[in-house]
Amino acid sequence: MKKHLWALSLGTLALGIAEFCMMSILTNVAESLSVTIPQAGHFISAYASGVCIGAILMVMFARNMGLKSLLLLIVGIIFLGNFLTVFAWDYPSMLLSRLIAGLPHGAYFGVGSIVTTQLAKKGEASKDVCLMVAGMTVANLVGVPLGSFLAWAVTWRAAFMIVAGVAALVFIGIKIWVPALPALPNNGFAAQFRFLTHLTPWLVLGAIGFGNGGFFAFYSYVNPLMENLSSVPASLMSVVITLAGAGMVCGNLFAAKLSRRYSDPALACSGQGVLCVMLALIFFFPHWYWISIPLMIIAAGCVFFISGPEQVLILTNAKEGQLLAAAMGQVAFNFGNAVGAWLGGLPIDAGYTENWACVPGSAMACVGFLLLLATWKIHHTKRTDR
């Protein structure tokens, strides 16, 4: 793998731990800061809010910066936000630190994807973006379980010490291995939003939101589903989560391998279709762990199978708004996660068993599939007309 991709994928590793680890250590954080679990949940919301705010701030104030300089600034904020989290002492300070930590999330994926595509060889942009995103999958495989273990064995603050340390390494790696790249053409603030007057970017953004939301409608309740319905012992749930992380890694690498043979719309649409089917099957077969666990692994793999192609799709349809478009992909991802988790909880709150979370999940994934199918059709029509 190219050296600059090692540095960029290390950045997505840091962001993956920063975003997802909080979910696994929420109880530890709540006890340490003397807040309730619902109040601790606000720290997750603060991070997601930072993702959305950071995308707009980047377009407003950083669109004239060279891409390498902008990346270094973003990584510096990743370090700052997580460093502050290590020393948060109460609810307000933790809320502020998580908001700051979330600001660079979408911006990093956005600028990192643009840098990756610019440095990629012809026909390898999708493969390289998949490799950049691979760090996020490794975070779910290794980083999140490690953070959970450290919260139990030492302190929850250790997880964010690791993120800050990794961010420092990313800064050095980008400084050494990423060549100087000029700023993107600046046609004014309004021009950044002009791509939104076309249909295709909305289809892709909608697919990202609905598709990932569908998975997280199920995955947010994977622990009670596996324990209560699939009869997986609580002591083995860490193994189940690790297997899901392994599925994410494999799905991401599989997409990178296929990217030379198939178009981005074809890959994204196919992966989304498989995700929809997997969620439906989990609903019907939750009581047999030897069926539900493999289905969960494939579903998790699909989420990151489609992430690279979707990121390239949003860039190729953004024209002069690439900076905003790439960051909006992460906004859609996080928005979908939040909405999916809420919708997945509705049937459970109504008294249904945990597998019913797959019903809204599968429906959302189906909508994502239809949006990507329309994108694929438009892509095919354009190629035919040339």
Side-chain angles (χ1 to χ4, degrees), residues 346-361:
L346 290 180
I348 299 174
D349 289 339
Y352 292 91
T353 52
E354 288 83 357
N355 62 313
W356 278 85
C358 294
V359 174

Side-chain angles (χ1 to χ4, degrees), residues 22-48:
M22 181 61 76
M23 302 174 190
S24 67
I25 62 175
L26 204 62
T27 302
N28 306 81
V29 174
E31 292 176 354
S32 173
L33 300 181
S34 300
V35 298
T36 65
I37 293 294
Q39 285 178 315
H42 297 166
F43 304 145
I44 298 173
S45 301
Y47 189 96

Side-chain angles (χ1 to χ4, degrees), residues 17 79 82-83 85-87 150 154-168:
I17 299 173
F79 174 85
N82 288 281
F83 182 79
T85 301
V86 173
F87 297 99
L150 290 174
V154 188
T155 171
W156 60 266
R157 299 176 190 273
F160 299 103
M161 291 179 192
I162 292 173
V163 176
V166 172

Side-chain angles (χ1 to χ4, degrees), residues 123-360:
E124 294 190 358
S126 185
K127 175 180 74 71
D128 285 2
V129 171
C130 283
L131 293 175
M132 184 196 82
V133 175
M136 181 72 80
T137 66
V138 175
N140 282 279
L141 175 62
V142 179
V144 174
L146 176 61
S148 180
F149 171 76
L150 290 174
W152 169 78
V154 188
T155 171
W156 60 266
R157 299 176 190 273
F160 299 103
M161 291 179 192
I162 292 173
V163 176
V166 172
L169 293 176
V170 174
F171 189 93
I172 296 170
I174 291 174
K175 188 77 175 175
I176 297 173
W177 290 328
V178 174
L181 294 169
L184 295 174
N186 182 11
N187 296 314
F189 181 73
Q192 290 287 321
F193 296 85
R194 198 170 292 147
F195 74 97
L196 294 174
T197 60
H198 301 282
L199 176 62
T200 303
W202 286 109
L203 292 175
V204 178
L205 289 171
I208 293 172
F210 278 101
N212 289 288
F215 173 73
F216 281 97
F218 148 72
Y219 197 63
S220 299
Y221 307 96
V222 67
N223 277 48
L225 188 153
M226 290 294 169
E227 290 180 20
N228 298 336
L229 301 182
S230 298
S231 300
V232 175
S235 59
L236 293 179
M237 273 309 301
S238 60
V239 177
V240 173
I241 298 302
T242 301
L243 289 173
M248 294 176 185
V249 173
C250 293
N252 178 263
L253 297 178
F254 189 42
K257 185 178 181 64
L258 294 179
S259 62
R260 293 182 181 179
R261 297 175 56 188
Y262 301 99
S263 69
D264 294 307
L267 287 174
C269 186
S270 301
Q272 189 67 64
V274 174
L275 173 61
C276 180
V277 173
M278 292 302 104
L279 293 176
L281 289 175
I282 293 171
F283 170 73
F284 287 109
F285 300 101
H287 298 288
W288 297 274
Y289 69 87
W290 50 274
I291 296 179
S292 61
I293 291 178
L295 292 175
M296 176 205 66
I297 294 171
I298 296 172
C302 288
V303 172
F304 283 93
F305 179 92
I306 63 180
S307 60
E310 284 179 332
Q311 194 76 7
V312 173
L313 273 174
I314 195 66
L315 284 176
T316 54
N317 286 281
K319 298 182 180 179
E320 68 263 66
Q322 282 193 338
L323 205 58
L324 176 64
M328 283 185 69
Q330 285 302 304
V331 173
F333 182 92
N334 281 272
F335 182 77
N337 293 356
V339 174
W342 173 66
L343 289 176
L346 290 180
I348 299 174
D349 289 339
Y352 292 91
T353 52
E354 288 83 357
N355 62 313
W356 278 85
C358 294
V359 174

